[in-house]
């Protein structure tokens, strides 16, 4: 009887072990199926590279409100652009850059052209005015530390134009030497700049990121880098940054 009882308990224990093993295999199989389905549904996405333009003739010690004024790069700025290309090459992007987005300002698209010259074989360069630097109204062309400017408008006002989201310099008009006809703006806040940059990002840049797994370079100015989307898309991004 004792031997029979021991045999029954052993068979029951084996069934219990096999049952647990079978349940574990079933759970692992289900998890694997879910992971496989998720992997199949996941889209490949490109790498987005943000590259600021090189030094322009209005940067440096005589820093000037530049905005939409189309000033060229300095020789140092061109050297910076080439160095950026060398860095991209070192990081393994030599043959992976398939599309470049840049503003219509020469300092931006020349930087992009020089940076990718030795990196990729003729990627498409898309120029869009919505990626232009933030418009600085009537103070475009004025030194940022100009004593007359600070005295006339007040240092706090000038600081607000530069650092706040909604501060706008006074607009320029047709008498201004850097006037540009519509649709160019006459002045902008950082929030205004953000709105058009996000519009371009959602309409042109974001779709390009999912075309195929590669790298997309966007060559913005500092003000448009500040406007980059932090999370999500559309109104959610605008609410957070606005």
């Amino acid at each position: 009887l004792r031997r029979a009882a021991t045999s029954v308990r052993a068979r029951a224990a084996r069934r219990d072990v096999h049952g647990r093993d079978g349940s574990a295999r079933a759970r692992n199989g289900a998890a694997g199926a879910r992971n496989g389905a998720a992997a199949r549904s996941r889209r490949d996405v490109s790498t987005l590279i943000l590259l600021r333009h090189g030094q322009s003739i209005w940067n440096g010690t005589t820093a000037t409100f530049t905005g939409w004024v189309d000033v060229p790069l300095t020789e140092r700025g061109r050297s910076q652009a080439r160095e950026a290309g060398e860095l991209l090459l070192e990081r393994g992007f030599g043959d992976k850059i398939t599309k470049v987005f840049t503003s219509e300002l020469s300092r931006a698209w020349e930087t992009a052209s020089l940076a990718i010259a030795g990196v990729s074989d003729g990627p498409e360069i898309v120029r869009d005015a919505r990626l232009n630097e933030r418009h600085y109204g009537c103070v475009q062309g004025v030194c940022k530390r100009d004593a007359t400017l600070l005295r006339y408008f007040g240092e706090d006002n000038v600081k607000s134009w530069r650092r706040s989201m909604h501060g706008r310099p006074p607009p320029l008009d047709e008498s201004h030497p850097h006037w540009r006809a519509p649709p160019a703006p006459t002045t902008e806040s950082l929030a205004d700049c953000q709105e058009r940059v996000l519009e371009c990002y959602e309409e042109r840049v974001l779709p390009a990121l999912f075309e195929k797994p590669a790298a997309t370079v966007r060559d913005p100015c500092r003000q448009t880098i500040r406007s980059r989307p932090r999370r999500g898309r559309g109104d959610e991004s605008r609410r957070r940054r606005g």
Side-chain angles (χ1 to χ4, degrees), residues 125-231:
I125 299 179
V126 179
R127 296 169 63 176
D128 194 311
R130 291 174 295 182
L131 296 178
N132 280 12
E133 189 170 342
R134 176 257 192 101
H135 197 291
Y136 267 106
C138 72
V139 298
Q140 290 189 157
V142 179
C143 180
K144 293 177 180 179
R145 299 302 302 172
D146 183 83
T148 302
L149 171 77
L150 298 177
R151 185 169 57 250
Y152 185 82
F153 289 108
E155 192 164 349
D156 288 342
N157 275 334
V158 175
K159 184 177 180 180
S160 173
W161 300 340
R162 298 183 63 189
R163 302 304 180 201
S164 74
M165 282 296 296
H166 299 286
R168 288 192 187 98
L172 49 72
D173 57 27
E174 295 183 26
S175 66
H176 196 283
H178 300 301
W179 160 264
R180 292 180 62 173
T186 57
T187 188
E188 283 184 311
S189 66
L190 188 57
D192 298 328
C193 178
Q194 179 193 65
E195 183 175 1
R196 60 175 166 81
V197 169
L198 285 175
E199 181 183 85
C200 179
Y201 173 81
E202 293 169 1
E203 180 183 310
R204 307 190 79 165
V205 179
L206 190 61
L209 291 175
F210 291 96
E211 287 179 356
K212 51 186 172 181
T216 298
V217 175
R218 181 169 150 223
D219 182 11
C221 300
R222 179 174 62 182
Q223 299 293 343
T224 57
I225 289 178
R226 289 182 184 176
S227 301
R228 69 194 185 279
R230 295 284 186 174
R231 67 176 183 182

Side-chain angles (χ1 to χ4, degrees), residues 30-42:
R34 287 194 299 271
N35 292 338
R40 287 191 297 273
S41 64
R42 189 182 301 121

Side-chain angles (χ1 to χ4, degrees), residues 23-106:
S23 298
R25 284 195 296 271
R27 287 194 299 271
N28 291 339
R34 287 194 299 271
N35 292 338
R40 287 191 297 273
S41 64
R42 189 182 301 121
R43 295 184 295 177
D44 289 324
V45 61
S46 299
T47 299
L48 176 62
I49 301 167
L50 298 180
L51 174 64
R52 191 189 172 194
H53 68 77
Q55 184 189 66
S56 78
I57 62 172
W58 281 6
N59 293 140
T61 56
T62 58
T64 301
F65 288 108
T66 309
W68 282 44
V69 182
D70 198 14
V71 298
L73 296 176
T74 62
E75 284 305 315
R76 182 185 177 193
R78 295 185 181 95
S79 177
Q80 291 169 336
R82 295 186 188 97
E83 289 171 4
E86 292 172 2
L87 182 60
L88 290 172
L89 194 61
E90 291 174 7
R91 296 297 173 87
F93 291 103
D95 58 350
K96 296 179 181 178
I97 298 174
T98 58
K99 187 168 290 188
V100 178
F101 295 91
T102 181
S103 76
E104 291 190 339
L105 300 171
S106 61

